[in-house]
Amino acid sequence: MSEHYDSLETRNPADREAQLMAALPAQVAHAQQATRAFAELLQGVDAGRVRSREALAKLPVIRKHELLERQKAQRAGDPFGGFSALVRGPAMPRIFASPGPIYEPDGSTRDYWRIGRAMFAAGFRSGDLVHNAFSYHMTPGAFLMESGAHAVGCTVFPAGVGQTEQQLQAIAELRPEAYAGTPSFLRILVEKAQETGSDISSLKKGLVGGEAFPPSLRDWFAERGLEVYQSYATADLGLIAYETSSREGMVVDEGVVVEIVRPGTGDPVAPGEVGEVVVTTLTPGYPLVRFGTGDLSAVLPGADPTGRTNMRIKGWLGRADQTTKIRGMFVHPGQVADIARRFPEIVKARLVVTGEMANDVMTLKVEAASPPQGLESRIGEAVRDVTKLRADVQLVQPGSLPNDGKVIEDARSYK
């Protein structure tokens, strides 16, 4: 039995990169031509020149709040805000709603969301019965998992959420091998089964998503005979990355281009530095270009020990949107980035907010190489200009600020 879903996973990294970059111009051109949103957002961009990561990094990052704003503004005529290349009918079998609400189109192609790759890596195989405990109500999670299970050759029981006793009965009687859903609900099922004596011993493997999945919970499942892996997917983008049996980070999916950028900007960070995950999908129906997920992660060096050769990321490390209210004013990471861009000496900047509520103290910590005399005061003036607030400026040695992706650190006391 093959250890890999297909030959794409074990490509020579240079060949993969060349093929991804060769596909970029056509995808950018398609987004411009097939969607009103990207016709506006990428106006004046020569798609034929977007043939490298450097060229891609010059395009604007589109963040979820911008997508939502466009959807709200165009609700009457287009619930997708001009981002969908699909039209209602056979090519769009479903429409989903995520919190906001943000509406997402479903495509009709096999494994449209590319979840099969993650399921295969988690040990799902043809003939397995999958107990799918994601919600089938409005939201896309259940359908993402179901499409991936079908791609692998599995049969699916659409369990949905809630009704724990009935779900335990179904597991005992149908004897599924695999679980798909949130890790928290799987724990509820396992604990309830232990409490009631329900037989769920058929469950041996799982693929979870939608929540953080700490190693402690992974080990808790393993102690009870369940090998559970995590997936990283969104309704907008489909699969972004997935865990393998090596348990060393997450391997990026073959159908996306992933960048890690400094929060509040579109600027790629150095390898290993924590930043926001930005994704360009090669899916033609919903061709999102440089879509900011709002999630923090970092690139891991080297290839996965399972033989998969694509980029690896550390997994979910927090949220990139660190907008904070200070002295009655909202300050966001983009403003910190704007300040840093004004001074070529600045390597990295981090705004730290301390004090107690109603007595906020702002300190901008700045890594600076060979800082000239008077740099602190000039940076302080820039802070006032951009944020309309005063801040202390503290120069620190390059490399001394934490590598955690935080541009704004709220260290205030809320007692």
Side-chain angles (χ1 to χ4, degrees), residues 137-185:
H137 179 65
M138 294 193 184
T139 56
F143 295 91
L144 269 68
M145 287 293 186
E146 184 168 297
S147 68
H150 289 163
V152 174
C154 301
T155 298
V156 175
F157 176 70
V161 297
Q163 299 177 309
T164 306
E165 291 80 6
Q166 287 179 266
Q167 296 217 26
L168 290 176
Q169 181 182 357
I171 294 171
E173 295 177 349
L174 292 174
R175 310 293 293 168
E177 291 86 359
Y179 168 91
T182 63
S184 60
F185 189 65

Side-chain angles (χ1 to χ4, degrees), residues 20-63:
L20 288 175
M21 294 304 105
L24 269 181
Q27 183 70 343
V28 172
H30 172 66
Q32 291 172 313
Q33 295 161 11
T35 73
R36 291 195 313 276
F38 279 107
E40 296 174 11
L41 293 164
L42 300 181
Q43 186 176 11
V45 171
D46 182 352
R49 294 181 177 274
V50 186
R51 295 182 174 275
S52 66
R53 289 183 181 267
E54 292 75 18
L56 182 63
K58 294 178 181 178
L59 304 183
V61 173
I62 311 304
R63 293 188 165 84

Side-chain angles (χ1 to χ4, degrees), residues 48 77 89 115 160 266 279 293 326 335 362:
I115 305 296
V279 180
T293 64
I326 307 169
Q335 290 174 302
M362 279 175 40

Side-chain angles (χ1 to χ4, degrees), residues 64-102:
K64 185 161 288 193
H65 70 87
E66 297 173 82
L67 187 151
L68 176 58
E69 288 167 4
R70 282 180 173 265
Q71 285 198 2
K72 285 182 175 179
Q74 301 178 40
R75 285 282 194 245
D78 181 359
F80 306 115
F83 284 94
S84 176
L86 297 170
V87 295
R88 288 189 299 181
M92 189 193 295
R94 301 177 189 86
I95 294 174
F96 300 116
S98 295
I102 292 177

